[in-house]
Amino acid sequence: MLFRSSWQPFHFEFATPSPRAASDGGVATLQPNAAPQRWSWAPFVNYYWLSRHIAFDLAVRRLIFFAPVGVFIAILFAQRSRMGLLTCLVLALIISLIIELGQCYIPERYPGMTDVCTHLAGAWLAYAFTSHTITSRSEEHTSELQSLAYLVC
């Protein structure tokens, strides 16, 4: 679902016809697409020209977009650990980079580090919130069991 919504037009262009061959009347040859050069390396630069409301809306949407990754990893590890956090961040980074590299070849999309940063932040926040909730609930459950055991004894 993450890939489907990120690559929505599904209009990939991996090679473009050579303009020189068309003007010479010769056979058109295909040249590799220069799409990876469209990558915006500086994070949040593309938000500069947007209004505050649109930039905020885009940032919140991208944070929420990767929240399921963080929730899934937190539930999978079920303990608050560094390994779970590291797994969450590495998985989110890999998925985000695949999505952004795929967007390099869609002319309607503009890939960049802003998306990668907000995706990582969304996965991290969801992981932190979910693991905190799981940990606090297990502590409440443990204290309830201890008080019940005290009453029984």
Side-chain angles (χ1 to χ4, degrees):
M1 185 161 128
L2 293 174
F3 295 109
R4 184 177 187 276
S5 63
S6 296
W7 296 341
Q8 187 54 40
F10 297 108
H11 178 68
F12 295 100
E13 289 184 8
F14 295 106
T16 56
S18 171
R20 185 177 58 88
S23 64
D24 292 342
V27 178
T29 58
L30 294 177
Q31 294 178 342
N33 196 346
Q37 295 174 357
R38 296 185 313 129
W39 186 283
S40 173
W41 288 100
F44 302 103
V45 168
N46 51 354
Y47 284 4
Y48 180 75
W49 298 106
L50 301 174
S51 73
R52 283 187 233 153
H53 302 294
I54 293 173
F56 179 76
D57 181 54
L58 284 174
V60 168
R61 284 179 191 223
R62 289 179 180 145
L63 284 171
I64 294 171
F65 186 62
F66 261 63
V69 174
V71 170
F72 174 73
I73 296 297
I75 292 172
L76 186 66
F77 278 84
Q79 294 283 334
R80 202 170 185 183
S81 67
R82 290 180 189 243
M83 189 60 156
L85 179 61
L86 181 65
T87 304
C88 175
L89 292 178
V90 168
L91 183 65
L93 179 67
I94 290 170
I95 293 171
S96 183
L97 286 175
I98 290 171
I99 288 172
E100 294 304 309
L101 288 174
Q103 286 182 0
C104 283
Y105 297 99
I106 301 174
E108 295 87 15
R109 301 300 215 124
Y110 297 99
M113 287 305 293
T114 303
D115 295 347
V116 174
C117 291
T118 53
H119 291 161
L120 284 174
W124 174 71
L125 287 171
Y127 175 84
F129 179 75
T130 306
S131 64
H132 175 72
T133 304
I134 290 171
T135 305
S136 65
R137 285 191 179 244
S138 66
E139 288 173 1
E140 288 176 7
H141 186 65
T142 303
S143 65
E144 289 174 1
L145 288 176
Q146 288 173 346
S147 63
L148 182 62
Y150 179 74
L151 289 175
V152 170
C153 292

